[in-house]
Amino acid sequence: MTSISDFRKLAMALPQAEEAPHFDKSSFRIKKKIFATINEKENRATLKFSPEEQGIFSKINPDSIFSVPNKWGKMGWTHLHYLDLSQEIIEGLLKAAYCSVAPKNLAELVISEDL
């Protein structure tokens, strides 16, 4: 189980990540591009993946990782019920979302630390 505090720490540990408001949610950004948002009221995060990654990641736990049910979902935006997922899974998903929008040099830092 991953708490809201744990989620924030994992997101902010990524190189040059910043937290900023996004409507009634908090967003996590790299170079002004959002890779994740968090909705505290609903205990849900939303992450940016490619549609292919979304299909793969949703197989981990379809009840807790699923496409946003609209046009945003078709572009790879994916909801997570973060309380139902381990910290290890959340960390991997955040890294994938970060790498999907980060400049290549920053994405390579995250990829190389996993090798």
Side-chain angles (χ1 to χ4, degrees):
M1 181 165 111
T2 302
S3 70
I4 185 100
S5 175
D6 294 333
F7 186 95
R8 272 197 168 88
K9 286 177 190 172
L10 291 169
M12 293 303 294
L14 296 164
Q16 298 182 27
E18 296 179 333
E19 184 174 358
H22 182 69
F23 300 100
D24 60 338
K25 303 171 186 76
S26 291
S27 68
F28 300 91
R29 303 167 186 243
I30 178 62
K31 304 286 183 183
K32 299 184 182 181
K33 292 184 179 181
I34 297 174
F35 64 91
T37 63
I38 194 153
N39 183 328
E40 293 183 51
K41 292 177 188 172
E42 296 185 24
N43 294 319
R44 184 181 70 211
T46 305
L47 277 65
K48 172 67 172 130
F49 303 124
S50 70
E52 295 78 23
E53 288 172 323
Q54 180 186 70
I56 293 166
F57 297 147
S58 65
K59 291 177 184 173
I60 295 170
N61 183 336
D63 293 330
S64 298
I65 304 170
F66 52 94
S67 173
V68 171
N70 59 32
K71 68 179 181 175
W72 293 101
K74 292 178 182 172
M75 294 187 296
W77 287 98
T78 305
H79 286 320
L80 312 175
H81 289 296
Y82 57 84
L83 294 176
D84 299 337
L85 300 168
S86 72
Q87 188 167 327
E88 181 178 82
I89 289 173
I90 295 290
E91 183 177 20
L93 295 173
L94 278 166
K95 286 179 177 182
Y98 174 91
C99 288
S100 75
V101 300
K104 186 177 180 179
N105 65 320
L106 293 175
E108 286 174 349
L109 293 174
V110 171
I111 293 166
S112 67
E113 86 180 19
D114 285 339
L115 298 177

